[in-house]
Amino acid sequence: MKKILISIAIILTMTATLLGGCADDNADNNSNSTFSRGTITDNIYSSEYSGLTFTPPNSDWIYASDEEMASMMNVSVDILNDVGISASQEEINAVTIYDMIAQDPYSGTNVIILYENLSLVQDGLSYSAEDYLQASNEMLEQTGFYDNFSATSEVTLCGETYVSQNITGNMNGVATNQYYFTRRIDDYMLSIIISLFGNQYDIDSMLANFS
């Protein structure tokens, strides 16, 4: 069940890599540093590139290894293909960088931090965060798993402005409640995806774990 719950969230993160459309040039480039993945030390994730730090809500939470994240990606590709959306493991791996997945193994609630390399996506460098979410919404509607897309709004997280959206639905009997926080850094689109299952956590308490 744990792998399935995380894979549901990963489906949401794969959409921009499959898109070939263009958007207006409205980039929010605000970093001149070289891209690098974050690190986990003493059970705390931190990234110099994004300026994000995430401390799990409690000691029950676990981080996925790189090998586990790759395995979950395979599951997600199969799910997309099953609903008629063409996706290959090779094209997803070429542009998507999973930086961190953390999960409460009991509820399934999880946090994903990832980057899309826009320079490797057709017309990707024209995407703003708003464009990215709109394109994602269009792809998600095709899956039939998501049926409620909130209006986007700007929120401040760790001193930076993100475009946020709440997306809900149902996948094979599992209710999905996901919050997406996106901003562009240089040629990368950074996304924080928080997927809530059950009533133990809410979005405000989860955001409080970022600093």
Side-chain angles (χ1 to χ4, degrees):
M1 186 60 156
K2 290 186 290 184
K3 180 182 290 186
I4 292 174
L5 292 177
I6 292 182
S7 295
I8 291 171
I10 288 179
I11 288 176
L12 185 59
T13 72
M14 297 169 64
T15 55
T17 68
L18 307 177
L19 299 170
C22 61
D24 58 0
D25 190 3
N26 187 26
D28 180 21
N29 300 333
N30 56 5
S31 171
N32 293 315
S33 59
T34 302
F35 174 80
S36 61
R37 293 186 61 191
T39 59
I40 298 171
T41 305
D42 295 331
N43 212 39
I44 297 174
Y45 162 87
S46 62
S47 168
E48 291 186 6
Y49 185 69
S50 68
L52 289 171
T53 297
F54 174 77
T55 303
N58 56 58
S59 60
D60 291 332
W61 280 64
I62 56 176
Y63 290 100
S65 67
D66 287 347
E67 292 76 13
E68 289 169 331
M69 287 190 281
S71 177
M72 288 182 278
M73 284 286 289
N74 289 331
V75 173
S76 296
V77 169
D78 291 341
I79 292 172
L80 285 175
N81 289 335
D82 285 345
V83 298
I85 295 176
S86 176
S88 71
Q89 194 64 47
E90 290 74 19
E91 67 179 334
I92 297 301
N93 289 343
V95 299
T96 307
I97 302 167
Y98 281 84
D99 206 26
M100 184 274 280
I101 297 178
Q103 183 196 35
D104 174 3
Y106 299 104
S107 69
T109 292
N110 59 82
V111 176
I112 297 174
I113 297 176
L114 66 95
Y115 298 87
E116 301 274 6
N117 188 340
L118 298 177
S119 68
L120 299 179
V121 178
Q122 182 180 349
D123 296 318
L125 294 178
S126 65
Y127 276 84
S128 67
E130 292 87 351
D131 300 325
Y132 182 90
L133 285 176
Q134 178 59 41
S136 298
N137 290 174
E138 294 171 1
M139 181 66 74
L140 284 170
E141 287 185 305
Q142 296 182 39
T143 70
F145 299 144
Y146 299 86
D147 54 19
N148 185 39
F149 300 83
S150 75
T152 59
S153 61
E154 290 190 348
V155 299
T156 300
L157 183 61
C158 301
E160 299 289 349
T161 300
Y162 288 76
V163 178
S164 174
Q165 187 176 36
N166 180 215
I167 301 176
T168 61
N170 189 289
M171 181 178 178
N172 299 329
V174 178
T176 58
N177 182 18
Q178 297 176 318
Y179 289 84
Y180 208 115
F181 301 87
T182 302
R183 75 180 175 101
R184 181 168 169 177
I185 309 176
D186 304 322
D187 291 346
Y188 294 88
M189 194 67 73
L190 163 64
S191 294
I192 303 168
I193 299 158
I194 301 175
S195 300
L196 302 176
F197 297 95
N199 299 316
Q200 182 176 358
Y201 304 98
D202 59 31
I203 189 58
D204 290 334
S205 66
M206 290 303 303
L207 291 178
N209 294 285
F210 286 90
S211 60

